[in-house]
Amino acid sequence: MSQGLAGYVIRRLLWTVPVIVAISILVFLLLRLAPQDPIDSLLGQRYDEEIAQRLRAKYGYDRPLHIQYLKYVQNLFQGDLGVSTKHGDFSVAEVIIPKIRVSAGMGIMAIILVFGLGIPVGVYAALVRGSFLDPLIIGFWLLIDSIPVFVSAVVAPWLFALQLGWVDLTYEGVLHPNIILPVFVMSLPGVAGVARLMRASVIQVSNEEYVRTARAKGLRERTVVVSHVVRNALLPMITAIGLSLPGLFAGSLFVELLFGIPGIARESLQAVLGFDFDVVLGLVLFGSVLFVLANILIDIAYGFIDPRIRITAARGG
Amino acid sequence: MSNRTLGLMMGAVALLIVAVAVVFVLVLSGGDGDDGGDTPARPASDSADRDDAADDRDAASDERDEPDDGDRTTGGICGENRLVTFGDDPATVFDPIQVGDASTAEYTAEIFGGLVTLNLDLEVVPDIAERWEITDGGRVYTFFLRNDVVFHNGRRVTAEDVKYSLERAADPANFSPTVLDYLGDIVGVRDKFNGRADDISGVQVVDEYTLRIELTEPISYFLQQLTYTVAYVVDREQIEDDPNNWTRRPNGTGPFRVKTFRPLEEIVLIPNDRYHLGPPRVDEVVFSLSGGSLSTRFQNDEIHVALVPAVELAGVLSGESELSEFYRPVPQLSFFYLGFNVNEPPFDDPLVRQAFAHAINREAINEVLFFDAALVADGILPPTLPGYSEAISTYPYDPERAAELLAQSRYADDMPRIVLTFSGGGGDPPDNLQAYQQQWREALGVEVEIEAIEWSAYLRELRRGTFQMYSAGWIADYPDPENFLGKLFSGSSRLNHTGYASERVDALLDEAATLGDQEARYRLYHEAEQIIIDDAPIIPTFWTISHYLVRECVQNWVDPGTIVPKYRYIEIDTSGE
């Protein structure tokens, strides 16, 4: 059985290679065929044909496309993602790794916040269903959910920094308390979804026979809820957490822009606007690998939960 | 298996919940610490990870923590002797010869220095050179260097360092985009740049502290050009030791050193205490590159300098906003204009160009769209530029005259399709362009199409001269009329994108370029400027004003409108007055 799983995982991993190669070729071509030119951006009004040619030669843009691509792949295998033209010859890794750290740090806090709030809210809403509290609680979180981030990211600083004076706004690193506000702004809209999922899950589990059995054998209600209902209702949350993992590194553009956080989303925007070839490629490749890996992880997790998927995959895959 | 897996999952979820609790506690306790309002905005202990090199600030700010224990108004951003301002992400490394954009130039000017520099009044003053003599009818400059100038690492600067720096700038292997524009008038720079010579023949070391520079033409604005970054002195030893990474912590001669540089995050400069023109008075200058809501941070007392956001401008100008007391308008050495391709129909007929100029009402646009916060450009040279003249005038708004001129033109009955191109993204064109469009339609009955094009493509097409009509701007590289009139309108300048060529203007520009008498020189430029405006290869539209917010505790804050080392003058009044 475990061998079947290992084979499945290996097959899935092998499949990622052509996917990543295809993505990289596509993005590479899109960038190179666009009517823009990083050297043009770099030199601006001082453009001089001779200097431009020297720079193109320096970055290898003067060679045929397929040679450029092969060179890129060759460097990639040596762990070299290229250099940023916009950030003055900083290596791509040097540019994007700090940004990934920032966005991932915030993403982890956001996931913890979303599930940490959403799960108890959902459980509570399920337990009080039928009373006015249930729609009130879920409605409240839906209300929060329906405020666009670009609104809350403007209103929240005004309220919590200027009016209440609770927080400061300057970005001082992921571990500085100033990060609280942006993290809340990017997480709170997600709570409603988790809460509703958890609520539905709890209600479903509550109708299971083993819950009735637990009650019938005279366990205290508290024990029934905590040990039997909630424990089992948490299962779908695993998938939800898994699904949210790739997004963890994606950052939140509005939050990063409006709070001035040097994260991956802002870097991506800057790289695209500044036409920074290698940085854009590096970011896309990073995102693709992450996305593919997360999907594999989710599939494996499903396999654990539902053996039917595993068997079909092993047979067909 | 399912039991074990289930257990694992339960464990994972439990861990998650514990983590939530821990983070909550951390977050809340951290937040409480911030609530008191008696801690400085950036407690030294929080920046442990950034203080890899210099700890002097921590020590210094610890001492200063004591008097900060008052209320927030006297503490906050004004409680520490450091300036927190904003900046743009540098477009290149801190290598003076690679700098082509204003934001990188601003940092570079603080880190490095050259033979001469500009003071806050935009006058050329000594830097590494103590004095200079101009001989041979303005063709030979002999610079006498100070003997107390040192690089940040303490090494003394000699004439050899200056020669090395200039030759490095002209070295074809370094492809400096600016060397020909600023130093191309030195004998031998072009030969070196084109690989025909190993050194610059026009730069000679006379002795340890004397340098002789020979020019091909006795140009009068050479010293102004020498103030630009490409002429700054760099440390040969450092560059040869670490050719790829020396720009991370460049060893310059300027008033500041780089403490940290994080792209898109911040640049921190610390003083060069041995700076020969007087060391900086602040302990640190922080440029926040993060963008974000600068004005909110300003209001929250977290940053000393910010720009007035567009939505607040009306309120700030009228004095109704609480930000009004911090407002500082600063005229910039720049102007916006509409350029014509004077070789393509219909703008090859000057009457059409003049009609277009008469037809736009810039005063109304300023009032309605810009809250009267811009300056209608009544000329090309901005008012704060040395050599500006009030006597110059542009085409006043006169729709009848505009219609008359158009009727007299070759294209009165047969107007071709007209496209106005600007550099920008999707969405609507800028309001002022739409306003011009409307005014041309009303006054002339001409329908102008507006087209957006991406910046690098815009620049490329500008060079190729394919635009019929375009919206553009120009920022001074050095404060001299030549930088506007010579660069944009001389028949031989590669930055002349209109195709305009006037023998009279070229003659005036050539004469002015080499004239020693400054006043007479300016008069020639004024004459050329008025001819250019009358010929209308461009319509000057607005001079720019930057709308700053500056905290009251920042002393000696100025923006001279161009790249001038200026942060060493700044003092922070920490007394809380």
Side-chain angles (χ1 to χ4, degrees):
Chain A
M1 184 180 77
S2 67
Q3 227 165 22
L5 183 69
Y8 170 66
V9 171
I10 288 167
R11 257 195 305 281
R12 284 298 306 265
L13 281 175
L14 285 177
W15 260 112
T16 62
V17 175
V19 171
I20 301 292
V21 169
I23 291 172
S24 69
I25 291 180
L26 194 69
V27 176
F28 191 87
L29 284 179
L30 276 176
L31 285 170
R32 295 303 203 267
L33 297 179
Q36 295 146 312
D37 182 331
I39 303 302
D40 273 17
S41 309
L42 198 65
L43 291 177
Q45 288 199 321
R46 300 181 193 286
Y47 187 92
D48 178 274
E49 196 50 50
E50 198 182 331
I51 293 168
Q53 274 173 16
R54 286 181 199 163
L55 280 172
R56 287 206 178 89
K58 175 184 164 187
Y59 291 112
Y61 299 149
D62 54 344
R63 279 180 261 174
L65 274 184
H66 63 280
I67 302 285
Q68 286 187 43
Y69 178 74
L70 290 177
K71 182 79 192 160
Y72 180 80
V73 173
Q74 187 192 340
N75 289 340
L76 200 61
F77 277 108
Q78 290 161 6
D80 176 7
L81 286 161
V83 293
S84 161
T85 48
K86 191 171 169 60
H87 292 305
D89 292 354
F90 274 61
S91 76
V92 170
E94 242 179 320
V95 171
I96 69 177
I97 287 174
K99 312 292 190 299
I100 290 171
R101 264 199 225 129
V102 169
S103 285
M106 289 181 68
I108 289 169
M109 284 186 253
I111 284 191
I112 291 171
L113 200 61
V114 167
F115 286 91
L117 275 173
I119 290 172
V121 167
V123 171
Y124 186 73
L127 293 181
V128 296
R129 79 178 184 282
S131 87
F132 73 99
L133 275 172
D134 176 20
L136 191 75
I137 291 165
I138 296 296
F140 169 78
W141 287 105
L142 280 174
L143 193 73
I144 300 277
D145 188 17
S146 56
I147 302 172
V149 172
F150 56 82
V151 172
S152 52
V154 173
V155 174
W158 174 82
L159 181 64
F160 293 105
L162 294 186
Q163 302 304 316
L164 298 171
W166 289 358
V167 288
D168 279 341
L169 302 170
T170 305
Y171 172 78
E172 304 269 8
V174 181
L175 295 178
H176 189 278
N178 284 5
I179 208 75
I180 298 170
L181 196 59
V183 166
F184 266 81
V185 164
M186 75 187 253
S187 332
L188 290 191
V191 171
V194 173
R196 290 172 71 203
L197 192 66
M198 190 63 196
R199 177 180 174 274
S201 179
V202 167
I203 290 173
Q204 195 192 356
V205 172
S206 304
N207 295 330
E208 294 288 339
E209 298 205 344
Y210 57 79
V211 175
R212 205 181 309 149
T213 310
R215 288 216 174 86
K217 71 182 176 186
L219 289 179
R220 280 183 306 166
E221 184 59 21
R222 190 190 156 82
T223 317
V224 173
V225 169
V226 173
S227 314
H228 296 266
V229 177
V230 173
R231 268 181 80 165
N232 288 298
L234 277 174
L235 264 177
M237 289 297 129
I238 303 291
T239 321
I241 293 175
L243 281 170
S244 66
L245 281 177
L248 198 152
F249 291 91
S252 163
L253 185 62
F254 283 118
V255 169
E256 289 181 12
L257 282 178
L258 288 164
F259 286 91
I261 292 162
I264 206 78
R266 209 167 120 235
E267 177 59 45
S268 310
L269 183 73
Q270 295 281 336
V272 170
L273 290 180
F275 224 64
D276 205 337
F277 275 172
D278 287 356
V279 173
V280 175
L281 257 176
L283 286 166
V284 172
L285 285 185
F286 172 75
S288 316
V289 170
L290 209 68
F291 188 78
V292 170
L293 286 184
N295 270 297
I296 293 177
L297 276 179
I298 292 166
D299 285 357
I300 295 169
Y302 270 135
F304 271 114
I305 294 163
D306 187 347
R308 279 170 303 178
I309 295 170
R310 197 166 70 232
I311 290 160
T312 327
R315 207 181 286 144
Chain B
M1 142 211 135
S2 80
N3 261 339
R4 213 173 127 225
T5 321
L6 198 69
L8 275 174
M9 287 175 186
M10 295 287 89
V13 172
L15 199 71
L16 199 79
I17 291 169
V18 170
V20 171
V22 169
V23 169
F24 256 60
V25 169
L26 282 179
V27 157
L28 290 178
S29 64
D32 281 340
D34 225 31
D35 275 356
D38 52 0
T39 41
R42 295 166 66 130
S45 53
D46 277 305
S47 41
D49 63 321
R50 35 186 88 211
D51 290 346
D52 40 353
D55 294 16
D56 41 348
R57 178 174 77 73
D58 287 278
S61 63
D62 282 345
E63 285 160 30
R64 271 192 308 278
D65 276 353
E66 307 294 331
D68 283 352
D69 284 338
D71 58 339
R72 188 175 182 117
T73 45
T74 56
I77 192 83
C78 289
E80 287 179 279
N81 189 26
R82 56 204 287 277
L83 179 77
V84 185
T85 182
F86 66 95
D88 284 328
D89 213 39
T92 60
V93 286
F94 297 134
D95 179 349
I97 68 169
Q98 302 298 348
V99 173
D101 63 302
S103 57
T104 318
E106 181 176 6
Y107 312 122
T108 311
E110 301 291 344
I111 302 163
F112 297 89
L115 289 168
V116 287
T117 187
L118 293 169
N119 66 13
L120 298 178
D121 298 320
L122 302 180
E123 295 157 338
V124 176
V125 291
D127 186 342
I128 293 173
E130 194 168 29
R131 62 192 173 86
W132 51 88
E133 280 169 9
I134 306 172
T135 50
D136 282 19
R139 285 177 35 125
V140 174
Y141 285 69
T142 308
F143 292 94
F144 301 94
L145 275 54
R146 300 171 63 112
N147 60 11
D148 62 345
V149 180
V150 290
F151 286 106
H152 295 156
N153 69 353
R155 187 167 77 78
R156 199 164 294 279
V157 176
T158 66
E160 285 291 347
D161 292 302
V162 183
K163 182 175 161 68
Y164 165 77
S165 303
L166 296 176
E167 285 181 345
R168 179 176 171 273
D171 189 328
N174 295 328
F175 31 75
S176 161
T178 51
V179 65
L180 291 186
D181 283 341
Y182 294 97
L183 304 176
D185 296 305
I186 299 175
V187 170
V189 162
R190 283 170 199 276
D191 283 345
K192 166 97 179 166
F193 190 74
N194 293 322
R196 289 196 293 267
D198 288 335
D199 52 7
I200 303 176
S201 54
V203 177
Q204 285 144 13
V205 174
V206 178
D207 62 42
E208 207 179 352
Y209 295 109
T210 314
L211 188 80
R212 201 166 157 276
I213 295 182
E214 194 185 332
L215 304 181
T216 53
E217 305 260 358
I219 52 162
S220 333
Y221 47 90
F222 177 62
L223 287 174
Q224 271 81 5
Q225 293 193 327
L226 268 190
T227 65
Y228 194 70
T229 63
V230 72
Y232 287 171
V233 173
V234 292
D235 176 15
R236 176 179 204 151
E237 292 173 9
Q238 188 194 20
I239 293 170
E240 286 175 357
D241 279 354
D242 190 4
N244 292 321
N245 288 318
W246 69 274
T247 52
R248 308 284 168 101
R249 292 207 181 197
N251 188 26
T253 62
F256 287 93
R257 298 182 283 145
V258 177
K259 182 182 167 197
T260 39
F261 168 36
R262 295 163 209 266
L264 289 184
E265 194 175 334
E266 66 176 12
I267 291 172
V268 182
L269 301 181
I270 47 175
N272 166 15
D273 291 325
R274 295 182 65 181
Y275 186 58
H276 48 279
L277 300 179
R281 297 158 190 182
V282 289
D283 297 334
E284 205 171 72
V285 178
V286 180
F287 295 90
S288 170
L289 311 178
S290 59
S293 313
L294 280 175
S295 65
T296 318
R297 280 168 62 194
F298 181 86
Q299 278 175 283
N300 201 39
D301 206 15
E302 294 176 53
I303 189 163
H304 287 113
V305 185
L307 288 175
V308 181
V311 288
E312 292 270 353
L313 194 54
V316 168
L317 287 167
S318 66
E320 286 159 14
S321 166
E322 58 188 37
L323 293 173
S324 297
E325 60 173 307
F326 306 110
Y327 176 56
R328 306 250 195 116
V330 180
Q332 299 292 305
L333 286 182
S334 57
F335 82 119
F336 286 101
Y337 63 93
L338 297 167
F340 298 111
N341 185 337
V342 301
N343 298 317
E344 295 283 330
F347 299 117
D348 53 347
D349 185 343
L351 291 173
V352 179
R353 305 198 297 261
Q354 290 160 358
F356 270 65
H358 269 308
I360 58 169
N361 188 347
R362 295 170 297 170
E363 285 78 11
I365 290 171
N366 191 19
E367 193 184 327
V368 176
L369 297 179
F370 302 152
F371 311 105
D372 259 336
L375 273 178
V376 171
D378 199 25
I380 295 168
L381 305 180
T384 45
L385 186 81
Y388 162 77
S389 164
E390 274 188 15
I392 307 291
S393 64
T394 55
Y395 291 90
Y397 174 58
D398 187 346
E400 284 90 38
R401 178 86 187 115
E404 264 174 55
L405 286 167
L406 193 72
Q408 294 163 18
S409 78
R410 259 184 281 161
Y411 299 95
D413 303 317
D414 182 26
M415 185 59 72
R417 175 174 182 246
I418 301 176
V419 178
L420 164 61
T421 311
F422 72 100
S423 141
D428 280 345
D431 289 345
N432 55 327
L433 295 187
Q434 292 192 57
Y436 302 143
Q437 185 184 37
Q438 170 78 10
Q439 290 168 348
W440 287 320
R441 186 186 299 136
E442 282 169 7
L444 306 172
V446 174
E447 195 56 47
V448 174
E449 295 164 42
I450 303 183
E451 195 176 82
I453 181 170
E454 181 274 330
W455 173 237
S456 64
Y458 173 87
L459 292 171
R460 190 170 60 232
E461 297 309 313
L462 200 59
R463 283 196 304 276
R464 292 179 182 160
T466 59
F467 296 144
Q468 207 175 10
M469 185 183 192
Y470 58 92
S471 164
W474 179 257
I475 304 170
D477 303 306
Y478 44 89
D480 189 89
E482 188 276 338
N483 190 244
F484 285 79
L485 304 179
K487 291 282 184 285
L488 295 178
F489 303 103
S490 153
S492 58
S493 167
R494 63 190 179 94
L495 291 167
N496 176 349
H497 301 304
T498 60
Y500 176 71
S502 155
E503 280 179 26
R504 178 79 190 117
V505 168
D506 284 354
L508 284 167
L509 292 174
D510 285 348
E511 194 187 342
T514 55
L515 203 61
D517 176 359
Q518 201 62 276
E519 286 309 312
R521 232 186 118 227
Y522 288 159
R523 275 198 298 279
L524 293 176
Y525 281 122
H526 297 156
E527 196 184 327
E529 185 180 3
Q530 192 63 61
I531 295 173
I532 293 165
I533 290 172
D534 292 345
D535 286 345
I538 66 160
I539 307 174
T541 51
F542 293 100
W543 287 313
T544 19
I545 295 184
S546 293
H547 308 285
Y548 287 100
L549 298 169
V550 183
R551 282 272 155 207
E552 67 278 30
C553 60
V554 180
Q555 319 270 305
N556 304 331
W557 183 91
V558 279
D559 175 4
T562 187
I563 306 307
V564 174
K566 53 181 179 282
Y567 289 102
R568 71 187 172 93
Y569 303 102
I570 286 184
E571 289 179 76
I572 308 290
D573 179 7
T574 52
S575 68
E577 291 303 308

